[in-house]
């Protein structure tokens, strides 16, 4: 029985099917509190053209768009497989969210602060950490210093600081996590990576997840859909890995073939310089007489 209780629904499925329900906001709030480093309370899940609810959409776009207690917008995306131009896509998603939540004729003060959180199950680039934060910064071209914007400077009045306005991006590189889970952040990383939760966890949201995201608590039909989702993810990853391997093999084969061709041309060039007849060079190298004539 303990084995059954210790199996939990993966976060990528939970966020798409379960965490949109108000009764499960505490799990989502715990996740956001840990990864944003401040207490987060969700007021509502927002509808968006980007939110995907179709069972056929196995590899999500925007999984959840929420409004927090500060009236800020939080976008959470789970990405299981590599996608070309991924950074450009999340930039577009943030820009779209900003424009969706300001009405024509409203002042720019109404622009919402956006958080874009990406949970990535693929290698997006080189880096030694599993968690990265990014935001707009103004850096001096010649001095390298960061411009510190004042709230009031002469005739210019800045009502909000850049950190209160500019979007923040959080990239969570799940596959790069390989530590023993000790801190709440590490416990969440462990759950994101392999779906395990410590029985004695006190990490925000994870104790609630232990009760609400049990695999064997789902109805049989829901469990079947979940299992199909996992199979689809694994198959997709296998296809991509096979394509990479085939590409490497083909690349090596092409490289060897190009090396052999260059060797034959080099031999033919040397034989031609020695005055050996074209017929002999053709028989020795396998090149055509036309190829030899161009050397």
């Amino acid at each position: 029985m303990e084995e059954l209780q210790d199996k939990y629904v993966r976060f990528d499925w939970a966020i798409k099917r379960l965490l949109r329900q108000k009764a499960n906001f505490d799990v989502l709030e715990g996740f956001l509190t840990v990864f944003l480093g401040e207490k987060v309370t969700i007021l509502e899940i927002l509808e968006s053209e980007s939110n995907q609810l179709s069972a056929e959409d196995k590899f999500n776009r925007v999984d959840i768009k929420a409004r927090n207690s500060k009236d800020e917008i939080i976008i959470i995306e789970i990405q299981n497989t590599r996608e070309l131009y991924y950074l450009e896509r999340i930039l577009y998603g943030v820009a779209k969210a900003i424009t969706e939540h300001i009405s024509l004729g409203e002042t720019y003060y109404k622009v919402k602060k956006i958080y874009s959180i990406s949970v990535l199950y693929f290698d997006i680039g080189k880096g030694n950490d599993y968690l990265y934060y990014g935001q707009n910064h103004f850096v001096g071209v010649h001095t390298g210093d960061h411009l510190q914007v004042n709230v009031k400077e002469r005739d210019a009045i800045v009502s909000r600081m850049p950190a209160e306005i500019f979007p923040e991006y959080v990239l969570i590189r799940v596959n790069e996590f390989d530590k023993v889970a000790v801190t709440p952040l590490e416990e969440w990383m462990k759950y994101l990576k392999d779906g395990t939760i410590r029985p004695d966890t006190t990490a925000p949201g994870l104790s609630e997840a232990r009760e609400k995201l049990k695999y064997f608590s789902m109805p049989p039909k829901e469990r079947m859909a979940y299992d199909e989702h996992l199979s689809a993810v694994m198959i997709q990853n296998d296809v991509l890995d096979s394509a990479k391997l085939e590409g490497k093999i083909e690349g090596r084969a092409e490289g060897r073939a190009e090396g052999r061709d260059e060797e034959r041309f080099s031999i033919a060039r040397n034989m031609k310089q020695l005055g050996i007849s074209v017929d002999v060079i053709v028989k020795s190298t396998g090149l055509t007489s036309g190829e030899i004539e161009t050397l």
Side-chain angles (χ1 to χ4, degrees):
M1 181 63 67
E2 184 67 25
E3 181 182 351
L4 299 185
Q5 292 178 347
D6 283 347
K7 186 172 182 179
Y8 300 98
V9 176
R10 275 174 42 134
F11 192 67
D12 60 335
W13 177 265
I15 202 171
K16 185 176 183 180
R17 302 290 285 263
L18 304 174
L19 300 185
R20 299 173 63 85
Q21 303 167 11
K22 193 174 182 63
N24 295 332
F25 279 6
D26 48 4
V27 178
L28 194 57
E29 289 171 346
F31 166 80
L32 294 172
T33 294
V34 168
F35 282 95
L36 294 181
E38 61 178 334
K39 175 65 177 175
V40 174
T41 302
I42 296 175
L43 294 183
E44 61 178 327
I45 300 299
L46 300 169
E47 292 304 323
S48 167
E49 295 175 4
S50 303
N51 283 353
Q52 301 291 342
L53 295 175
S54 170
E56 287 74 27
D57 181 31
K58 301 178 181 64
F59 311 107
N60 304 324
R61 298 291 176 165
V62 172
D63 293 276
I64 280 186
K65 185 170 72 167
R67 186 193 308 275
N68 68 10
S69 58
K70 296 181 180 179
D71 202 27
E72 299 166 330
I73 307 301
I74 301 175
I75 296 172
I76 307 172
E77 297 188 52
I78 308 291
Q79 190 71 15
N80 282 303
T81 57
R82 176 179 295 280
E83 180 176 315
L84 194 61
Y85 307 126
Y86 182 72
L87 292 180
E88 289 85 347
R89 186 168 69 72
I90 62 175
L91 172 63
Y92 173 80
V94 167
K96 190 170 185 293
I98 292 172
T99 56
E100 279 179 346
H101 295 281
I102 183 171
S103 301
L104 187 64
E106 287 186 322
T107 66
Y108 289 122
Y109 183 77
K110 297 290 187 179
V111 167
K112 305 296 184 186
K113 168 71 176 286
I114 307 289
Y115 293 91
S116 173
I117 303 175
S118 298
V119 183
L120 306 175
Y121 287 85
F122 66 91
D123 186 8
I124 197 171
K126 294 182 179 180
N128 298 321
D129 210 328
Y130 56 84
L131 182 61
Y132 286 85
Y133 290 85
Q135 193 181 27
N136 297 58
H137 296 283
F138 298 103
V139 182
V141 174
H142 303 99
T143 61
D145 69 311
H146 287 249
L147 177 65
Q148 303 294 320
V149 178
N150 296 323
V151 175
K152 185 175 182 181
E153 182 63 25
R154 295 183 182 177
D155 296 329
I157 298 177
V158 180
S159 58
R160 289 187 290 173
M161 301 302 287
E164 301 175 273
I165 303 171
F166 293 138
E168 289 189 37
Y169 299 90
V170 181
L171 301 182
I172 304 170
R173 304 172 71 207
V174 176
N175 295 337
E176 300 304 311
F177 179 76
D178 59 359
K179 295 184 176 182
V180 176
V182 176
T183 67
L185 176 60
E186 291 166 347
E187 287 190 54
W188 263 101
M189 290 299 303
K190 180 73 172 171
Y191 167 58
L192 292 178
K193 186 169 185 177
D194 58 26
T196 59
I197 305 174
R198 287 170 42 177
D200 60 343
T201 184
T202 58
L206 284 185
S207 56
E208 292 83 359
R210 278 180 54 83
E211 297 302 318
K212 298 179 178 182
L213 302 185
K214 290 179 180 177
Y215 172 78
F216 288 100
S217 293
M218 291 193 296
K221 185 176 181 180
E222 186 77 1
R223 286 206 305 269
M224 183 179 298
Y226 173 69
D227 291 338
E228 290 176 353
H229 165 75
L230 292 186
S231 296
V233 170
M234 287 188 290
I235 291 171
Q236 181 73 357
N237 284 326
D238 286 343
V239 168
L240 292 175
D241 289 341
S242 298
K244 289 181 193 175
L245 180 60
E246 291 173 3
K248 289 179 180 178
I249 293 173
E250 290 176 2
R252 286 196 292 267
E254 290 174 1
R256 287 194 294 269
E258 290 174 0
R260 287 194 296 269
D261 287 344
E262 182 56 36
E263 184 180 4
R264 289 193 299 160
F265 280 112
S266 178
I267 293 171
R269 193 178 295 109
N270 292 334
M271 293 177 71
K272 186 175 180 181
Q273 289 175 351
L274 292 174
I276 299 174
S277 69
V278 172
D279 290 340
V280 173
I281 298 175
V282 169
K283 292 178 181 178
S284 301
T285 63
L287 297 176
T288 66
S289 57
E291 289 173 325
I292 295 169
E293 291 295 336
T294 61
L295 296 176

